[in-house]
Amino acid sequence: MPETGQPRPDILSPIKWPLRLTLWGMAAERITRAFWPLWSLLIATLGLLMLGVQDMVAVEWVWVSTVVLLGAVGWAVWRGVRMLHWPRRSEAVARLDGTMRGNPIQAALDDQAIGSADTGSQAVWQAHQARMRKRLAEARAVEPDLRVAKADPFALRYVALLAFAVALVFGSFLRVSSVTAMGPSGSDLASGPAWEGWMEPPGYTRLPSVYLNDITAPGIDVPEGAQITLRMYGEVGALSVDESVSGRSLTPETAQETAQDFAVAHSGRLAIDGPGGRAWEISVTADAPPRVAREGEIESSYEGDAQIPFTARDDYGVVGGTARITLALDEVDRSYLLATEPEPREAIEVPLPMPIAGDRAEFTETLVENFSEHPWANLPVKLELNVTDEAGQAGASDIETITLPGRRFFDPLAAAIIEQRRALLWTRDNVPEIARILRAISYLPDDVFRSAVPYLRLRGVLRDLESSGAQMTGEQQDVLAKAMWDLALILEEGDLASALERLQRAQERLSEAMKNGASEQEIAELMQELREATDDYLRQLSRQAQQNAEDNPEMSQSQDMMEMSQNDLQRMMDRIQELMEQGRMAEAQEALEQLQQLMENMQVTQGQQGQSPGEQAMEGLGETLREQQGLSDEAFRQFQDQFNQGQQGQQGQQPGQPQQGQGGDGQQQGQQGQQQPGQDGQQSLEESLADRQQQLRSELNRQRQSLPGAGTEPGEAARDALRRAEEAMDGAEEALRDDDLAGAIDQQSQAMEALREGMRSLGEAMAQQQQQNQGQQGQQQGGNPGQQRDPLGRNAGANGQIGTDENMVQDEDVYRRARELLDEIRRRSGEGERPEEELEYLERLLERF
């Protein structure tokens, strides 16, 4: 066996190159760890020289730094030589062997210690060595570990690399040679003086700096505000500067200064006089002010969001802007309550939107803002757009008179409330007239109000108006304006108890929009509301069909019914929208009336047997809601009677109103004659209302305890809503017993709203349960699917799915169309900006199909 530490060459021949590369890697490791201070010093010194640090300090500091650097380099060389230990081949073998399973190199080099005379033992040993030598083919060179973090805890080597990287970007290798000019024996000094110069444009221009030594052209185009930097080397006075671009006065002493910095203010001449000098004609490029203009049509959504498009441009980019809006008083129709002088108000100033990314030198954006609650909404105003650039220059658009976009109210009563609100904000001197107009509007509340809540709110506004009068403060004015706005929203949006009321409400608003000349965007949004209300109404009809199937089985067998498909219904609404967009309002109104009649006369033709627990619970909650609505109506009528009696009594005592007094006196006497002996009856009526409210609350508690859908999110939401409805009913009962009819009506309104929310959540829970049990339900329903129809006359297919009497695609394109639909679903599911609910729905479609 060879001497220790020297493995046999024939055995190690398969790992010759992995062993050699490992040995070289170990050498690189030890050189790096021994000499990292040396190359860090050299790289840092080179970076500083390339940046020209030696030109910024006195020559004495350069010599001192050189001595210190030489000493540091000597120490680094001594340290590296002392720490460096060249790796041996045996160390490389040990490292390579440690990276393989079972140390095959050591096993291949070992000799059998015992059992050499035993034939079996020798066979096992030879098999072991053969396996180990075969494993040598798997040898791979060990990667060197060049990390020196333990030896350099402060990462000084990275500081050196950073200095060198900055020098590569901003410095030059030519500056290193300037070190030789530091002394009387320098070659540059012997050859004559030298100079350097730079032109740096303003930062907002994003233009690169220019090295003047490289410019040989006679003229230079320089942006306004650029900074000129000149440095002159050699004997003082050998070079001088002559310039007329900064506006400063040059004396012979200042012209010969070796370091000069000045800004370019105007065009002129720049020259360096002396050996190797140069001259340029400087042409200043002025920074033009930014420009802005309104572009395109101003649009407004149904909610009142104004969309004002504009374009802006600048030489180097716009940084900001504002839209200033002032009242165009000369253009206002000064009639009725706007005839008086308005109270002074500050101009509206709204920041203009800027592009988040991209170039701002020229862009088009849209200002989106809602001015609906401002007193100038839907009045003529003057619009002016202003923008600024980074140089502080400003640009403005032409002043334009427009109608300030705002929300339009199509309900007549809501529109009247908004008109009086604008008169209140116009000036507080209109308060007496506004109070009289509102009192006249609400004289017959049964004819104009659909529920008690808006009427009570209007009475509260009237009370505050009459109590404050013309001495109203600004804070009271704002509070009343907010209350009137909320009241108008309630009247416009409505508080609908059923899908039919919502459908009728949507049709009424669309009809009013036709009469008032609504915009295309408002028409589109109202049509969308009509479509959603129609869908809700059809779903309600479907639920009612299940209740009426047993009582009226002939409805599903009648041959005199006219069936409509959902496509026919959609085409009718599309036709109405198309007629309105074309301005054919008379035809659109006629088509809308036909749609109203058709929806009112629509009947359900499907008849399923029996009801599920969820359907029974929904029916019971609907009955509870109807009883609560009736109870609230009775309380409202009783409250109205009390209010009218008190009002007529006050009118009978006021002088100067003979007509109202005469009529009111007789009526008042009659009512007093009936009311005085019957006060006990009125109290018993209130107690009866409270008892009925208590019974209704108990019934709701029973329904809530047996509500289906437990454990599901919609089911728990339904239970929570019914709990809140029960609490509101309890509050209404206490208010009725305390003779607080106004408070009782408000609590009853909250109870009805919570009931509606609970019914919606219960419907969602039932829909989820139906999706989970579609297969089982389809088998349980049985019967002929062709006899089960929905409100549009479509067959109810298998598994409870809605089908049609004919295939949607009847030709050979059915598979191509299916592939196109599937590809479209996949494309939309990959768009992350879509709403989360839509993405989940698309994923369910992909899982199913």
Side-chain angles (χ1 to χ4, degrees):
M1 178 177 179
E3 63 176 294
T4 305
Q6 299 298 328
R8 293 194 297 271
D10 58 333
I11 297 178
L12 300 184
S13 57
I15 60 170
K16 177 177 64 175
W17 278 106
L19 182 59
R20 186 176 299 174
L21 293 175
T22 302
L23 182 62
W24 293 348
M26 295 177 64
E29 287 181 6
R30 299 189 180 186
I31 293 175
T32 301
R33 294 172 182 173
F35 291 100
W36 72 264
L38 178 61
W39 61 257
S40 298
L41 284 171
L42 296 178
I43 289 177
T45 303
L46 181 59
L48 294 175
L49 293 177
M50 291 173 61
L51 290 172
V53 177
Q54 69 278 7
D55 300 330
M56 302 178 186
V57 297
V59 65
E60 291 80 5
W61 286 105
V62 176
W63 287 113
V64 172
S65 301
T66 303
V67 173
V68 174
L69 176 62
L70 292 176
V73 170
W75 170 83
V77 172
W78 173 79
R79 175 186 179 276
V81 172
R82 185 173 60 86
M83 292 184 61
L84 180 61
H85 298 283
W86 203 258
R88 293 178 298 176
R89 184 180 178 86
S90 59
E91 296 176 348
V93 170
R95 173 176 288 194
L96 181 60
D97 194 23
T99 59
M100 293 184 290
R101 294 180 298 110
N103 299 101
I105 299 177
Q106 186 64 37
L109 295 176
D110 284 345
D111 292 329
Q112 186 175 4
I114 59 175
S116 57
D118 185 4
T119 305
S121 176
Q122 288 183 357
V124 173
W125 176 254
Q126 291 174 1
H128 171 66
Q129 282 204 323
R131 185 171 60 253
M132 292 296 103
R133 292 184 183 184
K134 185 178 179 181
R135 193 173 293 176
L136 292 179
E138 302 175 1
R140 297 292 182 269
V142 182
E143 296 183 1
D145 184 8
L146 303 179
R147 293 174 295 180
V148 293
K150 293 182 179 180
D152 183 19
F154 298 102
L156 298 178
R157 62 194 185 284
Y158 292 127
V159 176
L161 287 174
L162 177 61
F164 184 69
V166 172
L168 289 177
V169 177
F170 300 102
S172 172
F173 284 102
L174 299 177
R175 296 181 182 176
V176 179
S177 61
S178 64
V179 178
T180 58
M182 306 250 174
S185 61
S187 57
D188 288 346
L189 182 57
S191 61
W195 61 272
E196 280 187 307
W198 299 267
M199 186 277 295
E200 299 180 8
Y204 64 84
T205 63
R206 297 174 180 84
L207 296 176
S209 300
V210 176
Y211 188 52
L212 295 179
N213 295 62
D214 296 337
I215 304 300
T216 58
I220 307 176
D221 293 332
V222 177
E224 185 178 2
Q227 190 76 15
I228 300 294
T229 301
L230 297 175
R231 295 293 182 266
M232 290 170 287
Y233 313 114
E235 185 180 353
V236 177
L239 296 174
S240 63
V241 176
D242 182 17
E243 56 90 7
S244 59
V245 295
S246 64
R248 60 176 182 167
S249 58
L250 282 176
T251 62
E253 291 76 11
T254 57
Q256 296 178 1
E257 292 180 356
T258 58
Q260 298 191 24
D261 300 275
F262 52 88
V264 178
H266 48 77
S267 301
R269 181 175 180 273
L270 172 62
I272 300 176
D273 298 330
R278 200 173 300 172
W280 304 273
E281 291 294 331
I282 303 297
S283 178
V284 175
T285 303
D287 186 1
R291 291 170 291 173
V292 63
R294 194 184 65 79
E295 183 175 290
E297 295 295 331
I298 298 178
E299 299 180 355
S300 176
S301 66
Y302 173 72
E303 288 79 10
D305 292 328
Q307 302 175 9
I308 305 176
F310 67 94
T311 59
R313 58 180 60 88
D314 185 64
D315 297 343
Y316 306 107
V318 178
V319 297
T322 57
R324 179 180 175 83
I325 300 174
T326 56
L327 180 64
L329 192 58
D330 298 338
E331 303 291 336
V332 178
D333 182 12
R334 306 292 297 278
S335 58
Y336 303 110
L337 296 182
L338 301 184
T340 57
E341 288 298 319
E343 297 178 358
R345 290 189 178 273
E346 296 181 355
I348 304 174
E349 291 189 357
V350 181
L352 294 178
M354 294 289 119
I356 299 177
D359 188 14
R360 293 190 179 183
E362 184 174 0
F363 62 90
T364 299
E365 281 288 343
T366 301
L367 171 63
V368 180
E369 194 72 24
N370 197 318
F371 304 102
S372 300
E373 297 189 42
H374 197 275
W376 299 341
N378 298 315
L379 289 179
V381 295
K382 295 179 180 179
L383 173 64
E384 181 182 13
L385 306 179
N386 301 277
V387 292
T388 58
D389 59 10
E390 291 195 25
Q393 301 181 102
S397 65
D398 297 333
I399 299 179
E400 182 181 7
T401 301
I402 64 171
T403 298
L404 185 63
R407 175 165 185 165
R408 301 177 61 185
F409 290 81
F410 299 104
D411 182 87
L413 183 57
I417 297 295
I418 289 299
E419 184 178 359
Q420 301 311 309
R421 175 183 179 274
R422 183 177 63 184
L424 173 64
L425 294 174
W426 185 264
T427 176
R428 281 167 281 185
D429 295 338
N430 292 330
V431 169
E433 290 294 332
I434 295 172
R436 283 192 288 269
I437 292 175
L438 293 181
R439 185 170 292 279
I441 291 175
S442 60
Y443 180 68
L444 296 175
D446 290 337
D447 297 336
V448 294
F449 291 98
R450 292 182 295 273
S451 64
V453 175
Y455 176 69
L456 292 177
R457 291 198 176 207
L458 181 61
R459 297 305 307 176
V461 171
L462 264 175
R463 181 177 62 253
D464 294 340
L465 284 171
E466 293 174 347
S467 62
S468 58
Q471 291 76 29
M472 179 184 299
T473 63
E475 184 178 356
Q476 293 175 332
Q477 182 186 30
D478 295 338
V479 172
L480 279 175
K482 178 62 177 175
M484 296 174 73
W485 176 265
D486 295 339
L487 173 60
L489 286 181
I490 293 177
L491 294 171
E492 179 73 11
E493 301 292 344
D495 186 12
L496 307 182
S498 67
L500 177 59
E501 291 181 3
R502 183 185 176 192
L503 176 62
Q504 294 173 347
R505 182 64 179 157
Q507 293 169 346
E508 291 174 1
R509 294 169 68 180
L510 184 58
S511 178
E512 291 294 331
M514 295 182 191
K515 298 177 183 178
N516 297 333
S519 64
E520 293 184 2
Q521 188 171 359
E522 291 173 331
I523 288 175
E525 295 183 6
L526 289 173
M527 281 300 303
Q528 181 63 27
E529 180 183 358
L530 178 60
R531 296 177 196 272
E532 295 175 357
T534 302
D535 293 339
D536 290 345
Y537 179 57
L538 293 178
R539 283 193 291 268
Q540 187 185 61
L541 285 180
S542 179
R543 289 194 297 267
Q544 291 177 352
Q546 300 175 3
Q547 302 174 7
N548 301 331
E550 295 182 356
D551 298 336
N552 301 287
E554 67 277 1
M555 291 179 59
S556 61
Q557 303 174 358
S558 176
Q559 301 296 327
D560 299 331
M561 292 185 178
M562 180 185 65
E563 294 185 357
M564 289 186 61
S565 68
Q566 190 172 5
N567 292 333
D568 295 335
L569 193 60
Q570 292 297 332
R571 279 195 293 270
M572 289 187 65
M573 289 189 285
D574 293 340
R575 179 59 178 169
I576 294 173
Q577 185 172 359
E578 181 181 355
L579 291 174
M580 289 189 294
E581 292 175 352
Q582 294 176 357
R584 301 157 63 181
M585 294 301 175
E587 300 179 29
Q589 184 69 32
E590 182 179 354
L592 180 61
E593 293 176 357
Q594 294 177 1
L595 179 62
Q596 291 175 349
Q597 295 175 1
L598 189 142
M599 297 300 295
E600 291 174 358
N601 297 329
M602 182 173 291
Q603 295 181 357
V604 179
T605 60
Q606 70 177 10
Q608 299 179 356
Q609 302 295 328
Q611 290 183 339
S612 65
E615 294 169 346
Q616 295 176 0
M618 186 70 74
E619 181 181 358
L621 291 177
E623 182 64 27
T624 302
L625 179 60
R626 286 189 291 272
E627 292 180 3
Q628 181 63 76
Q629 182 68 56
L631 190 60
S632 178
D633 292 341
E634 292 185 20
F636 175 65
R637 283 192 295 269
Q638 184 174 350
F639 174 78
Q640 184 179 353
D641 293 340
Q642 292 183 359
F643 183 83
N644 290 336
Q645 291 171 6
Q647 181 178 0
Q648 291 171 0
Q650 293 176 2
Q651 291 177 354
Q653 297 175 3
Q654 292 177 357
Q657 298 181 358
Q659 294 179 356
Q660 295 180 3
Q662 291 173 2
D665 290 339
Q667 185 178 2
Q668 180 181 4
Q669 291 173 3
Q671 291 178 355
Q672 288 178 352
Q674 297 175 1
Q675 185 177 2
Q676 288 176 357
Q679 291 182 357
D680 295 338
Q682 181 179 0
Q683 293 178 358
S684 62
L685 177 60
E686 293 173 358
E687 292 177 357
S688 175
L689 291 178
D691 294 339
R692 289 171 57 188
Q693 185 68 73
Q694 181 183 8
Q695 296 174 1
L696 196 59
R697 179 174 60 84
S698 300
E699 176 63 19
L700 179 61
N701 183 33
R702 184 192 64 78
Q703 294 173 348
R704 185 167 64 89
Q705 298 298 329
S706 60
L707 198 67
T712 63
E713 183 176 354
E716 296 302 325
R719 283 174 168 76
D720 182 70
L722 296 184
R723 179 186 55 78
R724 288 188 278 108
E726 186 177 349
E727 294 175 355
M729 288 182 180
D730 188 29
E733 178 189 349
E734 294 180 0
L736 288 172
R737 298 191 187 281
D738 296 339
D739 197 16
D740 183 9
L741 293 177
I745 294 172
D746 187 60
Q747 291 288 335
Q748 290 170 344
S749 176
Q750 296 180 13
M752 288 186 289
E753 181 62 29
L755 276 172
R756 297 188 191 101
E757 183 179 350
M759 294 176 68
R760 285 193 296 267
S761 300
L762 179 59
E764 294 177 1
M766 293 170 60
Q768 289 185 2
Q769 185 177 4
Q770 183 178 4
Q771 290 178 359
Q772 296 174 358
N773 302 326
Q774 280 182 351
Q776 299 177 359
Q777 290 178 356
Q779 296 176 359
Q780 293 174 0
Q781 287 175 359
N784 184 7
Q787 297 178 358
Q788 300 176 358
R789 298 180 179 271
D790 68 352
L792 298 179
R794 301 174 300 184
N795 286 338
N799 299 330
Q801 300 175 357
I802 298 299
T804 59
D805 291 336
E806 57 185 7
N807 294 329
M808 297 187 66
V809 183
Q810 298 179 354
D811 53 17
E812 64 274 12
D813 291 338
V814 59
Y815 297 106
R816 178 186 58 81
R817 181 56 178 162
R819 286 195 303 269
E820 292 176 355
L821 291 175
L822 188 58
D823 292 340
E824 180 65 14
I825 293 174
R826 287 172 177 166
R827 184 188 66 81
R828 294 190 180 185
S829 64
E831 297 176 354
E833 65 273 8
R834 291 184 177 272
E836 186 67 25
E837 295 81 3
E838 181 178 356
L839 292 177
E840 293 178 356
Y841 173 72
L842 294 174
E843 290 177 359
R844 291 197 299 269
L845 288 179
L846 290 176
E847 292 176 357
R848 184 171 182 180
F849 299 105

